[in-house]
Amino acid sequence: MSVAKPKLMDEAPHGQVFQTLLEYGYGLGNGWSIGLEVPMSRVDGHDKLNGLKVEAQYVAEHNAHHGFYWGVRSDVGYSSSAYESQGINSIDINPIFGYRWAAWHIVVNPSIEVPLSGLNKQTQFQPSAKLARSISGTTQLGLEYFSGWGAVSAIRPQRERDETIYWVWDEKFASSRWNLGLGKPLNPSGGSVDKWVLKIGVNLDLD
């Protein structure tokens, strides 16, 4: 769940933008899981279903406390942004590269989106990353980075990219995990869409 304040643009919403992503995941064992994503939004008083996607994820066997690990998550379906009137069908491919050492954990996702419909058929580069440090056995503090760099064949200059960095707090409970983040765009006068973003993520273990 997130709430954002868009910067003033002719085509942007004039009020706060609320977005929610509901996701159900089922573990198949041996590093595999499948899931269903349902994104929704509320913009200028209007509710909108932003799409429907199915996903699959694989993470190779690794040491859960130290060292390198890798995986990949991919989803396919229809999605649209709270800032757009028309969405697209697409395939998202999200490589996962992580490393843990001592109290630190870093994850990098050089993700791409491959459009299957719409006028723009160019593959988009949307990298993200996270750096976190464990404060206790259940608490982490860190930074998260999300972005849109434009087409893979024509990467935008840095100031024209939609980039946001979040200060985040993660807390693990007996059957749930919480993520609270406050985001600030890196290019407020350039490609960034929002002035600020507040997000809350809740992961519930059902069995």
Side-chain angles (χ1 to χ4, degrees):
M1 299 171 285
S2 70
V3 56
K5 177 64 176 177
K7 68 181 185 182
L8 294 177
M9 297 184 295
D10 292 338
E11 67 276 15
H14 299 294
Q16 293 178 345
V17 174
F18 295 87
Q19 298 190 77
T20 303
L21 174 63
L22 299 178
E23 180 178 359
Y24 175 77
Y26 182 78
L28 301 175
N30 297 319
W32 286 94
S33 64
I34 56 175
L36 181 68
E37 301 177 4
V38 183
M40 298 172 285
S41 64
R42 182 173 179 83
V43 182
D44 294 334
H46 300 286
D47 295 317
K48 178 183 177 183
L49 178 63
N50 290 90
L52 180 65
K53 288 194 170 188
V54 293
E55 69 171 25
Q57 177 174 283
Y58 172 75
V59 178
E61 185 177 355
H62 62 281
N63 187 313
H65 305 286
H66 179 77
F68 173 79
Y69 65 92
W70 69 273
V72 64
R73 184 179 70 255
S74 183
D75 57 58
V76 61
Y78 175 83
S79 65
S80 62
S81 166
Y83 303 90
E84 301 169 329
S85 58
Q86 184 64 40
I88 62 169
N89 295 297
S90 65
I91 298 175
D92 295 331
I93 303 173
N94 307 288
I96 303 166
F97 301 106
Y99 191 82
R100 293 184 177 94
W101 74 102
W104 293 92
H105 183 196
I106 185 170
V107 184
V108 177
N109 307 110
S111 306
I112 60 172
E113 180 186 56
V114 183
L116 302 177
S117 66
L119 297 177
N120 185 2
K121 294 297 199 302
Q122 292 182 308
T123 298
Q124 303 293 305
F125 186 43
Q126 301 170 339
S128 62
K130 180 170 183 174
L131 176 65
R133 188 180 191 279
S134 296
I135 305 302
S136 69
T138 60
T139 304
Q140 287 187 342
L141 297 177
L143 298 172
E144 293 180 353
Y145 168 83
F146 295 93
S147 68
W149 287 30
V152 171
S153 59
I155 297 296
R156 297 171 185 158
Q158 196 275 329
R159 68 174 304 276
E160 296 180 12
R161 300 171 189 168
D162 184 10
E163 299 178 298
T164 303
I165 191 163
Y166 292 82
W167 292 265
V168 293
W169 164 61
D170 292 283
E171 188 70 32
K172 184 177 181 181
F173 297 98
S175 59
S176 65
R177 294 182 294 277
W178 292 69
N179 171 279
L180 177 64
L182 179 61
K184 188 70 176 174
L186 298 182
N187 306 304
S189 60
S192 294
V193 174
D194 297 312
K195 290 183 177 180
W196 53 262
V197 186
L198 175 66
K199 72 182 183 78
I200 300 174
V202 183
N203 185 306
L204 301 174
D205 297 327
L206 301 182
D207 55 16

